[in-house]
């Protein structure tokens, strides 16, 4: 109703100034409608370079597969297939989102159904790529400097705005946005990342178990950005320490090295994000980092399928992935139905709009509180 009223006002009031403010108010309401119409939790994922966001996103939704293959030298090697591309070296990706399929109108089985939106197209102008695209095809659209020969010929010269994977076998009723680092050099990607940040219900911050947060200034800059956003919106941040399987070497106390990283990261949060009296801001920090390994869970499923139930269940338990899913499911339960709508109403309101008609009368839309 508010959107319709603003639109009629803009068209019928013969305004001599003020339309930009009206358009901004309309856009704010459209964003609220998107959130209100969805029963999915929108989760924006942030993290430093090579933190493992894409790998984690695939694992969280159940789209990560572990394989045993022969390398070029003929030695058995481990390989993972995910919904989104990932690499061991730092890479740049366009914004990507994985969305659970709501119906059977498209074939979203396997590695899901992929579609792409290009720079210069409208928000609703997506082009279908198809079901279970090969990893090289996904990378060709999503990753900077990937081989565009793996794209369709008509897409080779186009710049990708974002990709979407619709996935029918999702383990979470959540929409995951894998976002490039805040402040990315691509202004189109930065705009999309900002819009996804505004639309998100909560955030996942991903840190890698092989290095502590204090080792990277860009990580700290990103966390400070999240803290500023949290201060304004009170949106929750879920802290995840991933790739604990890569930091299993034992220290002098026979503890895996990822536990040292976990303690250092939690100490950093408690020391640097505090109230004025020096107490840690627990609303932002929460219980701290959750240590997980999507790789161990994928390995566990592999061994169960191969008939080694005991080994598979041990690996799945060690992955801690289900604990992370339970944390997110708790947020979904808190935000479902009327609570979800009430939360939107409480956080957002229509900004004041003031415009002058041609006859000199002033039209004013006052701030609309949640109670209205």
């Amino acid at each position: 109703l508010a959107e319709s009223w603003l639109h009629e006002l803009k068209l019928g009031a013969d305004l001599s100034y003020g339309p930009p403010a009206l358009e901004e108010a309309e856009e704010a309401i459209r964003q609220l409608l998107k959130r209100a119409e969805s029963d999915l939790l929108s989760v924006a994922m942030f993290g430093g370079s090579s933190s493992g966001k894409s790998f984690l996103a695939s694992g969280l939704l159940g789209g990560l597969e572990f394989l045993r293959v022969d390398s070029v030298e003929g030695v058995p090697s481990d390989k993972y297939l995910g919904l989104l591309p990932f690499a061991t070296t730092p890479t740049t990706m366009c914004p990507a989102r994985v969305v659970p399929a709501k119906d059977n109108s498209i074939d979203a089985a396997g590695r899901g159904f992929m579609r792409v939106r290009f720079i210069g197209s409208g928000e609703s102008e997506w082009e279908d790529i198809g079901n279970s695209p090969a990893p090289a095809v996904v990378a060709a659209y999503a990753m900077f400097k990937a081989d565009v020969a793996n794209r369709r010929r008509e897409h080779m010269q186009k710049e990708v705005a974002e990709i979407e994977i619709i996935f029918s076998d999702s383990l979470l009723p959540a929409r995951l946005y894998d976002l490039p680092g805040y402040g990315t050099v691509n202004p189109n990607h930065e705009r999309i990342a900002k819009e996804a940040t505004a639309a998100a219900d909560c955030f996942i911050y991903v840190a890698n178990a092989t290095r502590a947060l204090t080792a990277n200034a860009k990580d700290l800059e990103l966390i400070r950005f999240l803290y500023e956003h949290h201060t304004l919106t009170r949106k929750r941040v879920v802290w995840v320490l991933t790739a604990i399987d890569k930091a299993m070497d034992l220290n002098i106390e026979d503890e895996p090295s990822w536990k040292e990283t976990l303690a250092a990261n939690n100490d950093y949060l408690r020391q640097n994000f505090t109230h004025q009296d020096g107490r840690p801001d627990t609303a932002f920090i929460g219980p701290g980092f959750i240590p997980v390994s999507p790789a161990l869970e994928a390995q566990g499923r592999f061994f169960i399928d191969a008939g080694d139930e005991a080994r598979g269940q041990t690996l799945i338990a060690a992955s801690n992935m289900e604990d992370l899913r339970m944390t997110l499911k708790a947020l979904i339960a808190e935000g479902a139905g009327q609570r979800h709508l009430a939360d939107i109403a409480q956080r957002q309101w229509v900004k004041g709009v003031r415009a002058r008609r041609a006859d000199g009368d002033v039209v004013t839309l006052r701030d609309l509180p949640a109670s209205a």
Side-chain angles (χ1 to χ4, degrees), residues 297-316:
E297 184 180 54
Q299 291 175 31
R301 289 197 296 264
F302 172 86
F303 284 109
I304 289 174
D305 291 342
D308 194 341
E309 180 78 19
R311 185 177 183 183
Q313 291 295 348
T314 297
L315 289 168
I316 289 174

Side-chain angles (χ1 to χ4, degrees), residues 45-61 64 80 86-87 178 204-213 219 238-248 256-263 265-266 288-298 318-322 324-325:
M45 302 181 69
F46 286 94
S49 177
S50 298
S51 58
K53 297 194 311 302
S54 301
F55 197 79
L56 176 64
S58 296
L60 257 180
L61 299 184
L64 187 66
Y80 297 89
F86 45 83
D178 184 358
I204 291 178
Y205 184 86
V206 183
N208 196 287
T210 60
R211 63 179 186 271
L213 286 175
D219 288 356
V238 178
W239 305 91
V240 179
L241 186 73
T242 193
I244 59 174
D245 57 293
K246 300 293 185 183
M248 287 292 188
S257 59
W258 64 259
K259 290 192 175 183
E260 295 180 5
T261 306
L262 179 71
N265 286 359
N266 286 336
F289 280 88
I290 302 172
V292 301
S293 170
L296 291 179
E297 184 180 54
S319 77
N320 213 28
M321 289 292 288
E322 195 55 35
L324 177 55
R325 292 192 190 98

Side-chain angles (χ1 to χ4, degrees), residues 83-368:
L83 303 175
L84 299 175
F86 45 83
T88 56
T89 56
T91 57
T92 301
M93 273 185 59
C94 70
R97 57 186 176 184
V98 185
V99 182
K102 283 193 170 185
D103 53 50
N104 297 320
S105 59
I106 59 173
D107 181 7
R111 287 193 300 276
F113 186 92
M114 179 181 174
R115 57 184 195 157
V116 179
R117 192 169 66 83
F118 295 101
I119 299 295
S121 62
E123 282 192 16
S124 60
E125 295 179 29
W126 291 85
E127 297 196 30
D128 293 344
I129 304 301
N131 172 257
S132 283
V137 173
V138 183
Y141 285 94
M143 299 179 74
F144 181 62
K145 291 185 178 180
D147 188 355
V148 296
N150 289 309
R151 295 184 184 182
R152 292 181 183 173
R153 182 170 295 276
E154 65 269 25
H155 296 163
M156 288 184 181
Q157 303 302 319
K158 293 185 176 182
E159 184 179 2
V160 176
E162 57 183 327
I163 70 167
E164 180 178 73
I165 303 292
I166 304 171
F167 186 49
S168 62
D169 299 322
S170 176
L171 298 179
L172 277 175
R175 179 190 296 105
L176 298 186
Y177 290 87
D178 184 358
L179 301 177
Y182 193 74
T184 176
V185 295
N186 188 312
N188 292 295
H189 293 169
E190 183 171 12
R191 176 183 58 79
I192 294 168
K194 287 182 177 179
E195 291 173 355
T197 299
D201 295 304
C202 67
F203 304 103
I204 291 178
Y205 184 86
V206 183
N208 196 287
T210 60
R211 63 179 186 271
L213 286 175
T214 52
N216 193 322
K218 289 186 177 179
D219 288 356
L220 308 185
E221 181 183 353
L222 185 54
I223 294 175
R224 291 190 181 102
F225 159 74
L226 279 178
Y227 188 56
E228 291 174 2
H229 190 82
H230 166 81
T231 301
L232 293 173
T233 65
R234 311 311 294 175
K235 293 180 184 178
R236 286 277 302 278
V237 180
V238 178
W239 305 91
V240 179
L241 186 73
T242 193
I244 59 174
D245 57 293
K246 300 293 185 183
M248 287 292 188
D249 292 344
L250 300 181
N251 59 21
I252 194 171
E253 298 174 345
D254 287 337
E255 292 283 357
S257 59
W258 64 259
K259 290 192 175 183
E260 295 180 5
T261 306
L262 179 71
N265 286 359
N266 286 336
D267 284 344
Y268 174 82
L269 294 179
R270 287 191 291 265
Q271 292 169 12
N272 288 275
F273 299 97
T274 61
H275 297 290
Q276 290 184 349
D277 61 4
R279 291 180 298 109
D281 188 344
T282 55
F284 178 62
I285 298 170
F289 280 88
I290 302 172
V292 301
S293 170
L296 291 179
E297 184 180 54
Q299 291 175 31
R301 289 197 296 264
F302 172 86
F303 284 109
I304 289 174
D305 291 342
D308 194 341
E309 180 78 19
R311 185 177 183 183
Q313 291 295 348
T314 297
L315 289 168
I316 289 174
S319 77
N320 213 28
M321 289 292 288
E322 195 55 35
D323 282 358
L324 177 55
R325 292 192 190 98
M326 293 299 293
T327 297
L328 291 170
K329 287 176 181 177
L331 291 179
I332 294 169
E334 292 171 8
Q338 291 300 316
R339 290 185 182 180
H340 177 66
L341 298 178
D343 180 58
I344 292 172
Q346 188 173 14
R347 289 192 206 163
Q348 306 284 354
W349 59 90
V350 178
K351 301 294 184 182
V353 175
R354 184 178 176 84
R356 185 179 298 277
R357 297 190 344 181
D359 60 9
D361 289 343
V362 173
V363 179
T364 301
L365 173 64
R366 298 185 183 278
D367 288 345
L368 183 64

Side-chain angles (χ1 to χ4, degrees), residues 31-50:
Q31 292 298 324
L32 294 179
L33 284 172
K34 288 181 182 178
R35 290 186 61 195
E37 289 170 355
S38 176
D39 56 356
L40 298 175
L41 189 77
S42 292
V43 183
M45 302 181 69
F46 286 94
S49 177
S50 298

